[in-house]
Amino acid sequence: MNGPSPAASGEERLRLLVSACAGLSDIEVLEYALDQAVAATRALGGMIHWAGPVGSRQPRMVAASGLPPAALEAWGQTRDVVMRVLRDGTSVRVPLTRAASEAAEAMPVMMTAVPLHGPDTPVGCLSVFCDETVEPDFLRSLAAWLDKRLARTGAGSAAKGPWLQERSADSGLRQALKAVKIGSWDWNIRTGELWWDDPALTLLGIDPATAPHHIDTWAGIVHPKDLPRVMAATEEAIRTRALYEVEYRARRPDGTTGWMHARGRLVLDERGEPVRMVGTVWDTTESRVARESAGRALRDMSDAFIALDRDWRITFVNRVAESLLGSAELIAQVVWDLTAGCPPELQAMCRQVAAERVPASLDLRWPTDDRWYHVRLVPVPDGLTLYLADITDKRVQDEQRAAAVQAAAERATWIQELTLALGEAVTLRDVMQVIARRVLPPFDAAGLTVLAGEGDHLQVVETIGRPSDILGEFRNRTTLASAALADVCRSHVPIFITSKPERRAPDGDEARRTTAPDTDSWAVLPLRVPNQPAGCCVISFDRPHEFASEERTLLTALSGLIAQTLARARMYDVEHTRAQELQRHLLPRDLPSSPCLAAAARYLPGGTGAVGGDWYDIIPLSADRVALVIGDVMGHGLTEAATMGRLRTAVRTLADLELPPGELLAHLNDLVSDLGDDFYVTCLYAVYDPADGRCVMVSAGHPPPVHVLPDGTVRALDVTSDPPLGAAEPPLSTYELHLPEGSLLVFYTDGLIESSTRDIDKGMAELTGLLTGLRPGPSGTDLDRLCESVTAAMLPAQQQIPDDAALLIARTHRLAAENIASWDLPDDPIAAREAREHVRQQLATWRLDDLVATTELIASELISNVIRHARGPLNLRLLRSRTLICEVTDGSLTTPRIRRAAETDEGGRGLQLVAALSQRWGTRFTTDGKCIWTEQALPAAGT
């Protein structure tokens, strides 16, 4: 099998050198490169020589491989060959013969040497010894790589800084340097002569008696492993006319080694050519050891460390920093030119710190490993240092902690908002809507169903969203013990079902198995309230849901809050239903019918759900007159509703006494005042007389009614309003108007026209505008539709009203003139005979012959009673309506009363006879007397 070609082998070795020599010192690089050269050429051995400084007469061996240095130099002419290569700068191949020893014969070898070039002239020579001729191609490639590698570090070692000016040997500065153990030196570049002062000789361990000294003396003191770097720095300073600074190990004659730091500057002749170099030297062994210890610590520390000079070139990196920067050969490279690059924000911060000379720090994501680092930038005299600490894990923990805190804060806010919303929810439907809006979406749930235990059964109380299919199995169970919901109700421990085909009870009882679709999940939560039947709620999901521990804890905690709210809402619903039933019973179920008045009414409870004190009523009076009442007990609640019922009963009682409107409300005001200082009632009482179309009204703090004329004209009546009942002071003001045939009277409470967004004036304007132009039909059905349209327009269904409202609309009719007959009678016994004649004639005209006898008797008895016990003037009036009404009016204010007459009494039986012949009878007071009236039923049609 053929081996690899030399070219391929050489390229592979060069790639190996590039990767293996990262981070090595110059002398380590030279030794490793020499080993590769010996191996690649199958040489017996090899060596590297380094040229001395300017003025030096001898090159020095700095590295050897394969054979000991003494054996390698045993071949003759090796030094001549090295000098030739350094002088000419070309490769040389010459045969050499080693002198034969007593133990061996002479051994011929071939020496191949290639130069190591500096900026201007060769600075070294690499040579190998083979027993055959080799091509120097690999050696030249290796030398070229070494040129670049050593040129970079050599250039980096030429530091720039302030320098001391040359002074005479006996100057004050030299005395000061001597006191601080700093030596000075003077090197003649052209002759190679080198002069040290006493402190310098002491530091280097040179005997003053060995003077004069040469540059080779100093080169012999420099440690061989430091010599290439020191020579490169020297040549660089001379070539560039730059300041000279280098640190090296000095091998003293007494065998000790110490670190020396030399610094110098060039002295130029009149042509600008360097002739001398003068400078100082001092011992840095202790500081070097400290720096090396610090360097090792920095090298191996877990955080990345980068040192930059003033030109942004890297002077030190540790292993972690090398991995971040993505390269092994980093020394002397400009950090911004690296392939991996640095984040732009870091470059900007570095320039800012370098300019301001103030430490700074920042957090950033590094592009090579996509991790977060805390970068601390510290300015130093020679540049800038960067400390990069990996904070990815800490950042993740901080983010997780912040997320947890944020989630806890959001959860607390959510619970607070939910608690507030549930606290404002009144009815069960309100509670369910709050849960649907605030509980289901955060958990991505589909529906909620509340079940309550009633005896041995579970009943569905309310459902929102998509009801869970599991309810069909649990609903109306004959025994709670056979259902999974019973487990929750009995143990008060929630059950979470996560889309499994079936859930088996812990004891494996087949009767307690719950089948469920494998696409749903449920959370069955107990609803526990002391002294109330057990219940539970089922939260359903329309797709599989894994309940995390935090979710289970939160849902369990919420179940207690929901249970208390639902219990309160159910209690409220029960009490509210009772109150509404009470209020419905207190209000008139049906309005009484009258031939002279058609009416319709509506009552709307307030949006708060509490019952109120609004009421209305229509009360039939004598002579086909009608009383219309509307009122409002201020406040809401059962007390107000009960007060409203008491007042309505009182109004009907007082109306039966035929009291005038002002006097009736005065009595009602006394009743309200007796209830306490906290009760106030607004009320409007009106009496309509169809005989003459007169309507008398009294208002106690109530909004004025609206009058709609037959032609559609609308006007709000200017009724003088007294203070509300409970604060009014009789006598109350009376308002009187005459209503044309077919007029509409609209009565209402303030809840219809007033709200938080609408004042009374605006509400009145809206109501009158709504009624303008209306001409509803005469039937009650038309009035019902009118009530619906008014309430719908004034109180839209989608708007919640804060107060209850009542609306009463009445259409008035007049008695026809042919149905009214009236006669003035003399204040004389003859009046009874005249009355009987008028009755016979009028009833004949009305074709009511069947009622003639009884009506004659009634009229005769009433007039006789007036003549005997009262005074005139007398008046008889007959009204034909649904009944036959007979009225006798006199000028007396005495009220006739039925009394029980003894068998021997000659009188006292007249009113008993009137009561027996009439359907009903009574007395009412007028402005100038009283009126005794009777009603008789009309005979049926066809009789």
Side-chain angles (χ1 to χ4, degrees):
M1 182 181 293
N2 296 329
S5 66
S9 177
E11 293 175 358
E12 183 66 29
R13 290 183 182 276
L14 284 177
R15 284 195 296 270
L16 181 62
L17 277 172
V18 171
S19 61
C21 292
L24 299 182
S25 65
D26 293 342
I27 192 62
E28 291 173 334
V29 171
L30 291 174
E31 292 174 345
Y32 192 71
L34 181 60
D35 291 339
Q36 294 299 318
V38 171
T41 58
R42 298 184 178 90
L44 299 175
M47 53 188 177
I48 295 178
H49 287 78
W50 209 259
V54 177
S56 174
R57 296 183 291 268
Q58 296 293 335
R60 297 181 179 274
M61 182 188 299
V62 296
S65 177
L67 293 174
L72 291 172
E73 290 185 340
W75 279 287
Q77 302 176 351
T78 56
R79 187 166 296 277
D80 295 336
V81 174
V82 171
M83 293 291 291
R84 176 182 170 186
V85 171
L86 292 175
R87 183 185 67 246
D88 299 338
T90 58
S91 302
V92 175
R93 287 185 294 177
V94 296
L96 301 178
T97 302
R98 183 179 180 182
S101 65
E102 296 179 356
E105 298 180 356
M107 180 172 28
V109 295
M110 180 65 68
M111 178 180 179
T112 303
V114 295
L116 300 177
H117 291 281
D120 297 325
T121 60
V123 296
C125 174
L126 185 152
S127 56
V128 296
F129 299 89
C130 303
D131 56 2
E132 59 183 7
T133 301
V134 297
E135 293 296 330
D137 294 340
F138 172 70
L139 297 179
R140 292 193 185 97
S141 299
L142 182 59
W145 178 79
L146 284 173
D147 293 343
K148 296 179 181 179
R149 177 67 167 78
L150 298 176
R152 184 171 68 245
T153 57
S157 64
K160 300 180 178 72
W163 290 93
L164 298 173
Q165 299 296 326
E166 182 182 8
R167 300 292 180 91
S168 61
D170 56 352
S171 66
L173 177 59
R174 192 171 301 282
Q175 296 299 324
L177 294 177
K178 182 176 181 180
V180 297
K181 297 182 180 180
I182 297 179
S184 61
W185 48 269
D186 188 337
W187 172 34
N188 190 320
I189 297 176
R190 294 178 178 177
T191 64
E193 292 179 347
L194 182 60
W195 173 87
W196 284 293
D197 64 2
D198 292 341
L201 293 172
T202 303
L203 290 173
L204 297 174
I206 300 175
D207 186 359
T210 59
H213 303 111
H214 194 268
I215 190 63
D216 290 333
T217 306
W218 173 69
I221 295 174
V222 178
H223 196 284
K225 291 189 176 182
D226 295 337
L227 188 59
R229 176 175 54 81
V230 173
M231 295 299 104
T234 305
E235 295 294 337
E236 176 72 13
I238 295 173
R239 182 179 63 83
T240 61
R241 308 295 193 268
L243 298 177
Y244 172 67
E245 186 168 9
V246 69
E247 190 174 22
Y248 59 91
R249 285 171 291 180
R251 297 187 302 173
R252 302 186 183 94
D254 60 2
T256 61
T257 301
W259 280 94
M260 301 296 161
H261 194 107
R263 183 179 294 169
R265 68 176 180 82
L266 290 171
V267 178
L268 306 178
D269 60 11
E270 62 277 2
R271 293 176 299 177
E273 295 296 329
V275 294
R276 292 168 53 219
M277 182 182 288
V278 297
T280 57
V281 62
W282 63 91
D283 192 332
T284 60
T285 303
E286 294 182 2
S287 62
R288 180 76 184 196
V289 171
R291 290 199 306 273
E292 288 180 351
S293 299
R296 285 193 296 271
L298 291 173
R299 184 76 181 168
D300 297 330
M301 72 177 186
S302 59
D303 295 337
F305 177 79
I306 305 172
L308 305 176
D309 63 12
R310 294 182 181 273
D311 295 326
W312 308 112
R313 296 183 181 275
I314 299 174
T315 59
F316 181 86
V317 290
N318 64 359
R319 292 185 177 88
V320 179
E322 288 176 351
S323 63
L324 287 180
L325 296 176
S327 176
E329 297 185 9
L330 298 170
I331 302 300
Q333 294 194 48
V334 177
V335 67
W336 319 127
D337 297 339
L338 297 177
T339 304
C342 293
E345 58 268 30
L346 177 60
Q347 182 176 355
M349 183 62 73
C350 286
R351 297 187 184 278
Q352 177 182 342
V353 171
E356 299 176 357
R357 309 303 294 171
V358 177
S361 60
L362 76 159
D363 293 346
L364 54 81
R365 188 189 295 272
W366 201 263
T368 56
D369 58 359
D370 201 32
R371 295 182 66 84
W372 281 92
Y373 289 86
H374 177 75
V375 184
R376 175 71 175 170
L377 299 94
V378 180
V380 296
D382 295 333
L384 190 68
T385 58
L386 291 81
Y387 301 84
L388 293 86
D390 191 336
I391 60 171
T392 304
D393 296 339
K394 178 180 179 299
R395 191 180 181 90
V396 170
Q397 294 174 359
D398 291 344
E399 290 176 353
Q400 292 175 348
R401 190 180 303 109
V405 172
Q406 178 68 20
E410 292 177 353
R411 186 165 55 252
T413 303
W414 174 69
I415 292 177
Q416 183 179 6
E417 293 176 352
L418 175 62
T419 303
L420 180 61
L422 289 176
E424 295 175 349
V426 178
T427 65
L428 181 61
R429 171 55 59 179
D430 294 339
V431 174
M432 297 296 287
Q433 289 177 351
V434 170
I435 296 174
R437 187 170 61 254
R438 295 184 178 272
V439 176
L440 298 186
F443 293 96
D444 199 21
L448 172 74
T449 300
V450 176
L451 300 97
E454 297 181 5
D456 290 338
H457 293 77
L458 278 176
Q459 297 293 339
V460 176
V461 177
E462 193 71 38
T463 298
I464 57 174
R466 189 186 69 83
S468 175
D469 295 338
I470 199 173
L471 300 178
E473 184 174 345
F474 296 141
R475 186 177 299 172
N476 297 327
R477 285 280 185 172
T478 56
T479 59
L480 286 174
S482 63
L485 295 182
D487 297 342
V488 176
C489 295
R490 182 177 57 254
S491 64
H492 307 297
V493 177
I495 294 178
F496 299 94
I497 305 173
T498 58
S499 71
K500 295 182 179 179
E502 62 180 6
R503 182 191 68 81
R504 191 182 299 272
D507 57 4
D509 186 1
E510 292 295 330
R512 299 175 61 191
R513 178 183 299 176
T514 301
T515 60
D518 58 0
T519 58
D520 286 350
S521 299
W522 301 274
V524 186
L525 307 175
L527 300 178
R528 184 181 183 185
V529 179
N531 303 323
Q532 291 195 18
C536 63
C537 67
V538 179
I539 299 178
S540 59
F541 299 81
D542 56 5
R543 54 179 175 270
H545 186 87
E546 294 293 334
F547 297 94
S549 175
E550 183 178 355
E551 277 187 328
R552 297 185 181 216
T553 302
L554 185 58
L555 286 173
T556 303
L558 286 177
S559 65
L561 177 62
I562 294 175
Q564 296 292 333
T565 307
L566 287 173
R568 174 174 52 79
R570 294 184 67 189
M571 186 181 302
Y572 173 85
D573 286 344
V574 171
E575 296 299 328
H576 182 61
T577 301
R578 293 174 180 173
Q580 285 185 326
E581 291 177 355
L582 172 63
Q583 191 168 42
R584 282 195 296 269
H585 285 295
L586 293 177
L587 291 173
R589 295 186 179 182
D590 297 308
L591 295 176
S593 60
S594 171
C596 301
L597 186 138
R602 288 293 183 274
Y603 172 78
L604 284 80
T608 59
V611 294
D614 291 13
W615 93 92
Y616 57 86
D617 206 352
I618 293 181
I619 306 170
L621 302 177
S622 61
D624 265 2
R625 294 176 307 121
V626 179
L628 299 98
V629 188
I630 190 164
D632 182 4
V633 180
M634 297 183 183
H636 301 87
L638 287 177
T639 302
E640 286 71 15
T643 301
M644 175 267 290
R646 296 171 62 183
L647 294 179
R648 178 170 175 258
T649 301
V651 170
R652 295 188 71 90
T653 302
L654 294 172
D656 285 341
L657 297 177
E658 299 278 2
L659 296 177
E663 187 176 346
L664 185 146
L665 286 191
H667 286 290
L668 201 63
N669 179 68
D670 296 337
L671 177 60
V672 174
S673 298
D674 292 340
L675 296 177
D677 296 336
D678 296 333
F679 285 90
Y680 296 97
V681 180
T682 66
C683 183
L684 189 146
Y685 183 82
V687 175
Y688 171 66
D689 189 347
D692 55 6
R694 189 166 59 97
C695 183
V696 181
M697 302 181 185
V698 177
S699 174
H702 203 81
V706 176
H707 181 202
V708 183
L709 296 172
D711 61 359
T713 303
V714 178
R715 63 190 180 104
L717 299 178
D718 188 15
V719 178
T720 302
S721 180
D722 288 286
L725 301 178
E729 295 183 1
L732 302 181
S733 302
T734 300
Y735 179 82
E736 183 176 324
L737 76 158
H738 287 79
L739 300 176
E741 170 67 23
S743 295
L744 281 181
L745 287 177
V746 180
F747 302 88
Y748 52 90
T749 59
D750 58 353
L752 183 72
I753 61 174
E754 184 182 18
S755 67
S756 59
T757 59
R758 181 175 60 190
D759 58 24
I760 292 181
D761 293 337
K762 183 178 179 181
M764 282 290 300
E766 291 183 10
L767 179 60
T768 55
L770 183 66
L771 295 173
T772 299
L774 289 179
R775 295 182 181 179
S779 67
T781 304
D782 295 329
L783 294 179
D784 277 333
R785 287 197 293 266
L786 179 59
C787 283
E788 289 291 343
S789 62
V790 170
T791 55
M794 298 297 294
L795 303 174
Q798 65 271 18
Q799 293 183 5
Q800 189 177 35
I801 59 175
D803 193 9
D804 52 345
L807 174 66
L808 175 63
I809 300 179
R811 178 179 291 281
T812 62
H813 300 283
R814 299 278 294 271
L815 278 176
E818 62 269 17
N819 292 328
I820 304 174
S822 179
W823 303 273
D824 291 328
L825 301 176
D827 187 9
D828 188 86
I830 195 176
R833 181 176 57 84
E834 293 182 4
R836 288 192 292 271
E837 292 177 358
H838 291 315
V839 167
R840 283 194 298 271
Q841 293 174 2
Q842 188 62 45
L843 293 185
T845 302
W846 288 343
R847 298 180 181 180
L848 295 175
D849 298 332
D850 294 342
L851 297 178
V852 171
T854 57
T855 306
E856 284 183 345
L857 182 56
I858 291 172
S860 178
E861 286 294 332
L862 292 178
I863 291 176
S864 298
N865 193 47
V866 169
I867 293 175
R868 183 176 181 180
H869 300 288
R871 64 178 184 271
L874 286 174
N875 180 272
L876 173 65
R877 188 172 71 164
L878 296 178
L879 304 176
R880 185 180 62 172
S881 183
R882 287 183 303 179
T883 60
L884 178 63
I885 302 169
C886 177
E887 296 180 341
V888 175
T889 305
D890 61 51
S892 173
L893 296 177
T894 58
T895 303
R897 294 189 299 270
I898 298 179
R899 63 184 181 87
R900 182 177 297 275
E903 294 180 358
T904 59
D905 291 342
E906 294 182 359
R909 297 180 179 82
L911 290 180
Q912 292 182 1
L913 181 61
V914 169
L917 295 176
S918 303
Q919 188 176 19
R920 66 182 188 127
W921 74 281
T923 304
R924 70 174 181 270
F925 291 97
T926 63
T927 57
D928 52 1
K930 69 176 182 295
C931 174
I932 304 174
W933 56 270
T934 64
E935 288 186 6
Q936 300 177 76
L938 296 178
T943 60

